[in-house]
Amino acid sequence: MYYKTKIIDTVRIPPHRFEEPLEEVTFDILNETYVGKMDKKLGQMLTVTDIEEIGIGKVIMGDGAAYHEVTFNALFFKPELQEVVEGEVIEITEFGAFVRIGPMDGLVHVSQVTDDYITYDAKKRVLVGKETNRRLEEGNRVRARIVSLSLKEEGKIKIGLTMRQPGLGRLEWIEEEKRKSKK
């Protein structure tokens, strides 16, 4: 899930950037400082969307920089348990498929791909259903549900996905099931 959040923080503007436009410098420093950082409550920060207010700068003795209190809006991505997400298969391994969902990757274990028995073809790097012959390959678009989640502030993110429920799986499989149910 994507969230837009208002944040108030103090930004240090180094003296060598005093001649540049203040809002531009502040925007750069905020993005350099926070983009990609993980917060347990907010998720992973993707970008600063806009700056609402920049307070008057204060200089601290012994440091030539100016410190400004800044109010800004930022875009975060935080996956939620039981959330249904769409993504692209980016890697197939013998134990499952890694799926890119937004800026993060999740794992669909082989036991969670379909109800069918799954085999791994190492040469073609594909997962194949024994009875249905359904194939899951890199580049396929899929819909999955988040069933396990571990977000650590150190950047260790683990997302477990399932595609074994109705309405989930490779997008082509979902369309195929819709056509079958209409007949």
Side-chain angles (χ1 to χ4, degrees), residues 113-130:
V113 174
T114 68
D115 291 332
D116 197 0
Y117 179 79
I118 298 290
T119 57
Y120 173 65
D121 183 339
K123 285 184 183 176
K124 296 179 183 173
R125 296 175 53 111
V126 63
L127 297 174
V128 183
K130 186 176 182 180

Side-chain angles (χ1 to χ4, degrees), residues 1-12:
M1 182 79 64
Y2 291 91
Y3 296 98
K4 190 173 180 183
T5 306
K6 183 183 289 195
I7 299 172
I8 300 172
D9 196 10
T10 301
V11 175
R12 179 185 184 273

Side-chain angles (χ1 to χ4, degrees), residues 3-64:
Y3 296 98
K4 190 173 180 183
T5 306
K6 183 183 289 195
I7 299 172
I8 300 172
D9 196 10
T10 301
V11 175
R12 179 185 184 273
I13 309 291
H16 71 277
R17 298 203 64 186
F18 283 172
E19 291 185 18
E20 298 175 47
L22 181 59
E23 189 164 336
E24 221 175 88
V25 173
T26 305
F27 196 83
D28 289 348
I29 291 171
L30 286 170
N31 274 312
E32 287 170 15
T33 305
Y34 292 113
V35 169
K37 298 282 194 264
M38 175 59 70
D39 181 275
K40 278 189 145 185
K41 292 179 185 168
L42 299 172
Q44 183 177 20
M45 185 170 168
L46 303 178
T47 189
V48 173
T49 57
D50 62 280
I51 296 174
E52 289 186 7
E53 184 182 345
I54 301 175
I56 298 194
K58 296 178 180 143
V59 178
I60 296 176
M61 192 105 143
D63 183 5

Side-chain angles (χ1 to χ4, degrees), residues 53-87:
E53 184 182 345
I54 301 175
I56 298 194
K58 296 178 180 143
V59 178
I60 296 176
M61 192 105 143
D63 183 5
Y67 291 81
H68 297 265
E69 186 173 279
V70 179
T71 304
F72 64 97
N73 292 302
L75 183 66
F76 287 86
F77 179 77
K78 183 180 182 197
E80 303 285 347
L81 269 176
Q82 303 306 319
E83 178 180 4
V84 175
V85 294
E86 287 192 10

